[in-house]
């Protein structure tokens, strides 16, 4: 079993809970009753029967008394309460995670249960747990039948002058953390986790152990007060079958090291619901989204190249993001990746999986293809209904043994303990925003990063405006713990930084131990994390250049080898030195800079901490042209080049070309016994098209086959799409436009509209039929073409492109010299293509127009497929 529970029984009288004589005040202390330890104080007001809770660290009050209680449809359990009984036990739990800041964990907590009776005999139990790193409380409503919760009275009260680091609440948790004081923070809602400093103690407020029995919540605040109330999502009532146990209202308490190293949120969560976790494999991921967006996801060759990069550097996965569903090559990609030892993760919108029927069809299909896991996006809700969906999707993905990465998601609340195949979660303003302030980056390790794996997606050097230095960006691979560490760089950006490539080959994604070495929210953060005898260090700062002094007293005895990667005058540099635990590293840092480092035991003859990495050649196969249009009976010249860029050699290399049956091929079949890094092999062929060749597209395939280390025989294909044109036809996509306008991005030729840039669209596809020729538009749009009376007929098949699914609604119009001569009904993503056949004899100017279907232009991707003019 992944998690084992040892609960040392409930005691009939309070242990570590002291009640005064009239039994209206109780103190619950952390196990061991340390004088400077943490305690929670529960008070029952004798006058009105209201409850409050306060928290102390030693003799200092950190959280001032704040209200407790809950209101249901049937009972107000916030006032008029009478004490009934109390019992205390010691809870000890041992469990193992699949990811996180520390894999093997022991949680020790004192738990006190206080029972109260309200008006009409309604019962409220309050559970309070206190550990050496914080406190938590939850309500238990023991009644049977459905229980509807209207609201909670729960709140936290800080001194008004307490320093705070807060992010505005959104249900996808991508707000920017900014400093304030507890009282001066503006009116409004704030996201978990929220961090406060009271004296020398920090308090991180969040929640834990939530599922579909309840809804999520957030904090609400009125300026001028230190009170932060708990508000349920959407302000909606929560209904569950009794007895009802609410989530833990959780506060991590201590110095910054205690807070950042805390596992309290996981400690409070339900144990793992997965018995066999041997299939759950964390790892590093090549993510191509920020190097081409949707266009990169629709290209098999681009995705194969990212697979090759992972294989060349020992990364475990590659992620194909939004856009792949308009393609048909996913099984081919997963097979290609499998042969290279790389897993494929795929992006899906949560609405693709929001019904049992969709999950029953889609998830087994992905598993059959060989997909390793899912990035599920855009849940954007903390409602009870959404958490019920989380319960369902996690059960179903676990059954299919599919890994999960949630984006557009609620901040994790112990989910990685309960469902250990959740290897990371976004819920952060991360690198895909393109201009993340260094002050926010350095606040995250003390806030969002405390509670779970964080999918920040570092290394996006080619994207946006850089706010931290290269060395600091590299340090984020350690600073941000993530079971799936999605690196967002381009292959060229990695290759331009060889020291970065080398470090990323070595850095793990799971840890035996994590320590904060130094830092302060919004200013700097330096972490050390250990795995299997090596320590990895990461540091990031917001501010001017200087020198970072890092004590090495966390190391064991003896001599150690330290390799530091920092910013140099001409890029990243690596410096190696021998150190002991008595030494301090002095690392020069750039503005908004940092560093990365690896430290291992120094032994005789050891020059590096690097360990062997299994590498396959990073190769490229290019063809010229990538597509061609020819007449029947004509020929086309095709060239292919196979090059080894990194991690060579490739052995027994052969280039070949295959054409459709009946087509003639002239050319050689070049071979090479071995191609080391930096060498290539080229071939040229002439392909002749028969006179009776079918009109339309044909595939001519150039292949490179080679042997790689380990005896694997690998092959890569590149397809040249040869389109055979019929006589007497001109395709509109081949003609110059007299004018054009488009709702999003440019009008695309021979591909669907990708909305953003030129040539970023998918193949034209309507109702599962793919077309080689045509125009891709987005309403409202229009193209004008000069005909000068030279054509007899215009024909096309029109409809909404498949890439928007069943969404989108458009109408098509054809104008001849400004007069509408053909129009369609409103077509949606569910409609088949509609044929247009228009007489254009003598027409001087042809206009093709797309209008929205009367409900706005969202998803209005319109295709003029096979749009042709007949002479």
């Amino acid at each position: 079993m992944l998690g084992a529970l040892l609960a040392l029984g409930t005691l009939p009288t309070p242990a570590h809970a002291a009640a005064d004589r009239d039994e209206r005040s109780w103190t619950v202390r952390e196990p061991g009753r340390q004088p400077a330890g943490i305690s929670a104080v529960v008070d029952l007001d004798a006058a009105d029967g209201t409850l409050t809770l306060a928290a102390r660290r030693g003799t200092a009050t950190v959280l001032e008394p704040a209200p407790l209680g809950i209101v249901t449809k049937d009972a107000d359990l916030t006032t008029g309460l009478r004490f009934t009984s109390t019992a205390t036990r010691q809870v000890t739990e041992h469990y193992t995670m699949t990811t996180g800041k520390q894999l093997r964990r022991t949680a020790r907590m004192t738990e006190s249960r206080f029972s109260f009776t309200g008006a009409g005999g309604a019962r409220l139990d309050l559970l309070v747990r206190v550990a050496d790193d914080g406190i938590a409380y939850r309500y238990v409503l023991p009644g049977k039948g459905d229980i509807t919760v209207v609201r909670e009275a729960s709140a936290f009260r800080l001194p008004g002058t307490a320093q705070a680091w807060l992010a505005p609440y959104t249900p996808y948790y991508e707000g920017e953390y900014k400093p304030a004081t507890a009282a001066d923070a503006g009116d409004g809602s704030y996201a978990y986790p929220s961090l406060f400093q009271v004296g020398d103690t920090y308090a991180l407020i969040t929640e834990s152990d939530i599922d579909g029995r309840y809804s999520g919540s957030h904090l609400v605040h009125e300026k001028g007060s230190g009170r932060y109330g708990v508000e349920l999502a959407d302000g909606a009532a929560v209904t569950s079958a009794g007895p009802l146990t609410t989530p833990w209202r959780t506060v991590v308490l201590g110095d910054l090291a205690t807070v950042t190293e805390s596992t309290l949120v996981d400690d409070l969560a339900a144990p793992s619901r997965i018995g066999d976790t041997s299939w759950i494999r964390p790892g590093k991921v090549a993510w191509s989204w920020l190097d081409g967006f949707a266009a990169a996801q629709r290209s098999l060759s681009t995705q194969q190249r990212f697979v090759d990069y992972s294989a060349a550097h020992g990364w475990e996965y590659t992620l194909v993001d939004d856009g792949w569903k308009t393609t048909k090559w996913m099984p081919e990609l997963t097979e290609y990746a499998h042969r290279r030892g790389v897993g494929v993760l795929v992006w899906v919108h949560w609405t693709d999986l929001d019904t049992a029927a969709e999950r029953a069809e889609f998830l087994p299909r992905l598993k059959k293809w060989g997909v390793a896991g899912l990035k599920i996006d855009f849940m954007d809700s903390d409602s009870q209904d959404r958490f019920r969906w989380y319960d369902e999707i996690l059960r179903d993905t676990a059954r299919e043994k599919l890994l999960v990465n949630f984006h557009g998601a609620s901040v994790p609340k112990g989910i990685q303990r309960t469902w250990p195949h959740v290897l990371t979660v976004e819920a952060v303003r991360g690198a895909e925003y393109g201009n993340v302030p260094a002050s926010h980056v350095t606040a995250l390790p003390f806030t969002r990063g405390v509670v779970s794996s964080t999918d920040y997606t570092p290394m996006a050097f080619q994207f946006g405006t850089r706010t931290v230095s290269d060395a600091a960006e590299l340090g984020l691979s350690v600073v941000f713990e993530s079971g799936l560490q999605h690196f967002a760089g381009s292959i060229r950006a990695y290759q331009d930084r060889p020291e970065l490539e080398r470090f990323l080959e070595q850095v793990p994604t799971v840890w035996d131990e994590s320590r904060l070495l130094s830092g302060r929210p919004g200013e700097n953060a330096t972490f050390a994390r250990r795995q299997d005898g090596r320590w990895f260090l990461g540091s990031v700062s917001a501010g001017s250049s200087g020198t970072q002094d890092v004590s090495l007293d966390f190391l064991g005895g003896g001599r150690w080898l330290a390799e530091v990667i920092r910013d140099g005058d001409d890029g990243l540099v690596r410096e190696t030195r021998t150190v002991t635990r008595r030494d301090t590293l002095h690392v020069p840092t750039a503005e908004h800079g940092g560093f990365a480092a690896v430290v291992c035991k120094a032994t005789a003859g050891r020059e590096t901490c690097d360990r062997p990495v299994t590498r396959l050649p990073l190769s490229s196969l290019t063809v010229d042209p990538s597509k061609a249009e020819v007449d029947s009976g004509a020929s086309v010249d095709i060239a292919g080049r196979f090059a080894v860029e990194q991690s060579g050699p490739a052995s027994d290399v052969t280039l070949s070309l295959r054409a459709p049956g009946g087509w003639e091929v002239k050319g050689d079949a070049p071979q090479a016994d071995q191609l080391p890094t930096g060498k290539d092999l080229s071939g040229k062929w002439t392909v002749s098209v028969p006179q009776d060749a079918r009109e339309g597209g044909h595939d001519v395939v150039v292949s490179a086959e080679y042997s790689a280390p380990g005896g694997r025989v690998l092959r890569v294909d590149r397809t040249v799409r040869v389109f055979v044109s019929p006589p007497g036809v001109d395709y509109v996509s081949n003609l110059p436009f007299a004018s054009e306008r488009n709702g999003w991005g440019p009008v695309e030729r021979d591909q669907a509209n990708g909305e953003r840039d030129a040539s970023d669209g998918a193949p034209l596809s309507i109702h599962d039929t793919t077309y080689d020729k045509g125009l891709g538009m987005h309403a409202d749009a229009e193209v004008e073409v000069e005909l000068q009376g030279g054509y007899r007929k215009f024909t096309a098949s029109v409809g909404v492109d498949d890439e928007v699914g069943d969404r989108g609604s458009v109408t098509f119009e054809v104008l001849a010299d400004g007069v509408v001569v053909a129009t369609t009904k409103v077509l949606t993503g569910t409609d088949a293509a509609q044929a247009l056949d228009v007489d254009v004899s003598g027409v001087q100017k042809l206009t093709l127009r797309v209008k929205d279907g009367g409900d706005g232009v969202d998803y209005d991707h319109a295709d003029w497929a096979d749009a042709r003019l007949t002479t």
Side-chain angles (χ1 to χ4, degrees):
M1 289 293 291
L2 185 72
L5 171 65
L6 298 176
L8 307 184
T10 302
L11 304 177
T13 58
H16 307 153
D20 61 17
R21 287 182 299 178
D22 61 0
E23 293 187 314
R24 296 192 182 278
S25 182
W26 304 266
T27 300
V28 187
R29 297 187 175 88
E30 69 175 83
R33 307 189 71 174
Q34 300 296 324
I38 293 170
S39 60
V41 180
V42 178
D43 281 298
L44 177 64
D45 190 285
D48 58 11
T50 57
L51 283 171
T52 61
L53 182 141
R56 296 173 180 164
R57 182 171 177 236
T59 59
T61 297
V62 182
L63 298 179
E64 298 172 350
L68 301 173
I70 193 167
V71 178
T72 73
K73 185 177 66 174
D74 301 316
D76 183 348
L77 295 169
T78 66
T79 187
L81 298 174
R82 302 185 306 277
F83 172 70
T84 303
S85 64
T86 184
T88 297
R89 65 172 184 160
Q90 297 301 300
V91 177
T92 301
E93 296 179 3
H94 305 284
Y95 63 98
T96 300
M97 298 283 286
T98 58
T99 188
K101 62 186 81 171
Q102 178 182 338
L103 291 182
R104 293 172 179 83
R105 303 181 183 181
T106 297
R108 295 184 175 89
M109 294 170 277
T110 302
E111 179 185 282
S112 290
R113 178 186 288 260
F114 303 96
S115 296
F116 302 92
T117 303
R123 181 178 161 189
L124 172 68
D125 284 4
L126 172 69
L127 267 62
V128 178
R129 283 189 178 182
V130 179
D132 62 2
D133 56 350
I135 68 166
Y137 67 87
R138 72 191 324 175
Y139 308 115
V140 179
L141 302 178
K144 296 181 179 180
D146 284 349
I147 298 174
T148 299
V149 175
V150 176
R151 65 177 178 88
E152 290 186 28
S154 311
F156 304 92
R157 191 180 300 276
L158 288 302
T161 57
Q163 180 67 53
W165 291 268
L166 305 170
Y169 172 73
T170 67
Y172 45 90
Y173 292 84
E174 295 177 21
E176 181 182 331
Y177 276 94
K178 294 183 178 181
T181 65
D184 287 344
D187 295 343
S189 300
Y190 293 95
Y192 298 129
S194 293
L195 181 66
F196 301 87
Q197 181 183 3
V198 182
D200 60 357
T201 299
Y202 291 80
L204 185 84
I205 299 175
T206 185
E207 60 184 354
S208 179
D209 195 23
I210 180 171
D211 57 25
R213 294 169 297 172
Y214 212 70
S215 80
S217 68
H218 52 267
L219 299 176
V220 291
H221 177 250
E222 291 184 5
K223 186 173 182 178
S225 168
R227 181 185 185 278
Y228 286 77
V230 172
E231 182 172 272
L232 300 181
D234 306 324
V238 176
T239 300
S240 289
L244 172 63
T245 301
T246 70
W248 291 103
R249 305 284 162 236
T250 306
V251 186
V252 183
L253 292 167
D255 58 19
L256 278 179
T258 300
V259 170
T260 55
E261 297 164 22
S262 171
T263 60
L264 182 61
V265 173
D266 290 332
D267 296 344
L268 293 164
S272 172
R273 296 179 183 170
I274 301 176
D276 174 21
T277 62
S278 60
W279 57 275
I280 300 172
R281 185 174 67 134
K284 290 166 280 195
V285 187
W287 183 46
S288 55
W289 179 257
L290 298 185
D291 186 34
F293 303 99
Q297 317 313 305
R298 296 168 181 146
S299 167
L300 174 61
S301 61
T302 298
Q303 294 309 315
Q304 287 177 331
R305 182 158 173 77
F306 275 88
V307 167
D308 287 341
Y309 188 84
S310 291
H313 293 276
W315 296 6
E316 290 80 2
Y317 298 99
T318 188
L319 167 64
V320 187
D321 215 282
D322 183 17
W324 68 270
K325 286 189 295 180
T326 61
T327 71
K328 302 184 186 302
W329 44 250
M330 186 57 70
E332 181 180 350
L333 177 66
T334 55
E335 172 61 21
Y336 182 92
H338 176 73
R339 293 185 63 82
R340 289 156 176 78
V342 176
V344 175
L345 311 172
V346 298
W347 180 98
V348 294
H349 197 289
W350 84 277
T351 55
D352 296 330
L353 300 165
D354 63 342
T355 69
E358 288 172 333
R359 294 190 294 273
E361 188 281 326
F362 194 47
L363 297 179
R365 175 155 53 97
L366 291 178
K367 190 66 179 180
K368 183 179 179 181
W369 288 349
V371 169
L374 306 179
K375 173 182 175 180
I376 310 176
D377 207 346
F378 292 116
M379 284 70 70
D380 295 351
S381 174
D382 277 321
S383 68
Q384 183 182 21
D385 281 347
R386 195 70 80 248
F387 276 101
R388 286 173 174 162
W389 174 84
Y390 278 117
D391 295 342
E392 294 164 355
I393 189 64
L394 290 170
R395 177 200 62 211
D396 293 347
T397 50
R399 183 180 59 245
E400 297 295 338
K401 296 185 177 180
L402 291 166
L403 306 177
V404 172
N405 164 21
F406 284 126
H407 269 232
S410 179
V411 72
K413 295 149 185 178
I415 196 172
Q416 290 183 282
R417 179 183 178 187
T418 308
W419 295 103
H421 64 309
V422 179
L423 290 183
T424 193
V425 178
E426 184 188 31
V428 68
R429 190 177 188 86
E432 66 184 26
Y433 275 85
N435 185 16
V436 184
S439 58
H440 172 69
V441 177
T442 51
L444 289 174
F446 306 97
T447 51
R448 167 64 183 89
V450 173
V451 298
S452 84
S453 296
T454 306
D455 196 18
Y456 180 86
T457 66
M459 312 303 150
F461 298 98
Q462 77 288 346
F463 173 72
T465 301
R466 297 294 310 288
T467 59
V468 300
S469 73
D470 279 12
E473 191 75 23
L474 181 59
L476 297 184
S477 65
V478 178
V479 171
F480 293 131
E481 176 273 317
S482 185
L484 292 174
Q485 189 70 274
H486 293 86
F487 298 132
S490 68
I491 292 174
R492 174 52 57 195
Y494 298 139
Q495 291 175 331
D496 288 344
R497 298 166 174 83
E499 288 296 348
L500 176 136
E501 286 187 302
R502 179 178 168 186
F503 186 83
L504 293 183
E505 286 184 347
Q506 299 293 320
V507 66
T509 63
V510 295
W511 306 101
D512 299 321
E513 181 182 359
S514 296
R515 294 193 182 186
L516 174 69
L517 302 185
S518 64
R520 179 168 173 78
E523 297 178 9
N524 56 79
T526 302
F527 282 82
R529 304 191 194 270
R530 176 178 60 83
Q531 190 206 66
D532 193 22
R534 291 189 295 177
W535 285 94
F536 289 80
L537 279 63
S539 181
V540 61
S541 65
S544 58
S545 59
T547 299
Q548 181 79 27
D549 298 323
V550 182
S551 171
L552 299 177
D553 59 2
F554 62 92
L555 297 174
R559 298 167 65 249
W560 295 76
L561 188 67
E563 297 179 76
V564 178
I565 301 92
R566 64 172 181 85
D567 294 299
D569 293 338
D570 298 312
L572 294 173
V573 297
R574 180 180 294 250
E575 298 174 339
T576 303
R577 65 200 76 175
T578 302
V579 297
T580 71
R581 68 186 313 273
R582 295 184 297 275
D583 290 327
T584 298
L585 287 179
H586 305 286
V587 184
T589 56
E591 182 181 15
H592 302 319
F595 68 89
V598 56
V599 183
C600 60
K601 275 288 188 178
T603 57
R606 187 173 204 172
E607 297 180 351
T608 179
C609 294
D610 287 356
R611 293 178 179 175
V613 174
T614 301
R615 297 184 180 91
L616 297 182
L618 174 62
S619 62
S620 62
L621 175 60
T622 56
V623 293
D624 184 32
S626 60
K627 60 182 180 179
E629 291 188 35
V630 297
D631 296 329
S632 57
S635 64
V636 57
D637 292 329
I638 296 175
R641 175 178 177 271
F642 177 79
V644 178
E645 298 179 22
Q646 290 181 330
S647 305
S651 304
D652 304 319
V653 184
T654 301
L655 276 182
S656 62
L657 179 145
R658 64 182 183 273
W663 293 35
E664 182 181 1
V665 177
K666 294 182 179 179
D668 50 11
Q671 296 180 323
D673 292 336
Q674 191 174 84
L675 285 181
T677 298
K679 297 298 182 179
D680 64 78
L681 180 68
S682 297
K684 293 183 178 180
W685 302 269
T686 297
V687 178
S688 298
V689 180
Q691 286 286 355
D692 59 352
R694 170 184 55 82
E695 172 193 341
H698 301 261
D699 289 340
V700 175
V701 180
V702 176
S703 298
E705 189 170 275
Y706 60 99
S707 297
R712 276 179 276 193
V713 177
L714 303 176
R715 193 181 81 185
V716 58
D717 298 330
R718 292 291 175 262
T719 298
V720 179
R721 188 70 169 172
V722 178
F723 189 85
V724 179
S725 300
V729 168
D730 284 336
Y731 288 92
V732 176
S733 57
N734 292 346
L735 300 177
F737 297 158
S739 67
E740 68 171 292
R741 61 178 174 82
N742 204 45
W744 290 95
V747 174
E748 297 288 3
R749 299 174 186 264
D750 301 331
Q751 61 184 1
N753 176 249
E755 293 194 359
R756 182 182 174 94
D757 300 313
S759 301
D760 65 352
L764 295 158
S765 179
I766 306 172
H767 217 249
D768 292 328
T769 298
T770 302
Y771 301 84
D772 287 285
K773 304 294 292 179
L775 303 179
M777 295 186 184
H778 191 301
D780 283 328
E782 183 178 282
V783 162
E784 290 185 340
V785 179
E786 298 288 351
L787 304 188
Q788 298 178 348
Y791 296 94
R792 177 176 59 85
K793 184 168 64 173
F794 167 77
T795 58
S797 295
V798 299
V800 175
D801 193 87
D802 288 338
E803 68 181 348
V804 297
D806 59 0
R807 296 166 294 194
S809 60
V810 299
T811 59
F812 294 81
E813 292 181 354
V814 180
L815 289 77
D817 293 329
V819 177
V820 175
V821 292
T823 187
T824 69
K825 67 175 184 178
V826 175
L827 299 176
T828 71
T830 62
D831 291 320
Q834 180 173 330
L836 294 177
D837 190 329
V838 180
D839 186 345
V840 292
S841 301
V843 172
Q844 300 298 305
K845 181 178 289 186
L846 177 72
T847 304
L848 305 180
R849 182 180 294 164
V850 174
K851 302 170 73 173
D852 79 83
D855 57 355
V857 299
D858 290 349
Y859 303 105
D860 284 354
H861 291 212
D863 294 346
W864 297 83
D866 198 29
R868 62 172 72 187
L869 290 157
T870 304
T871 61

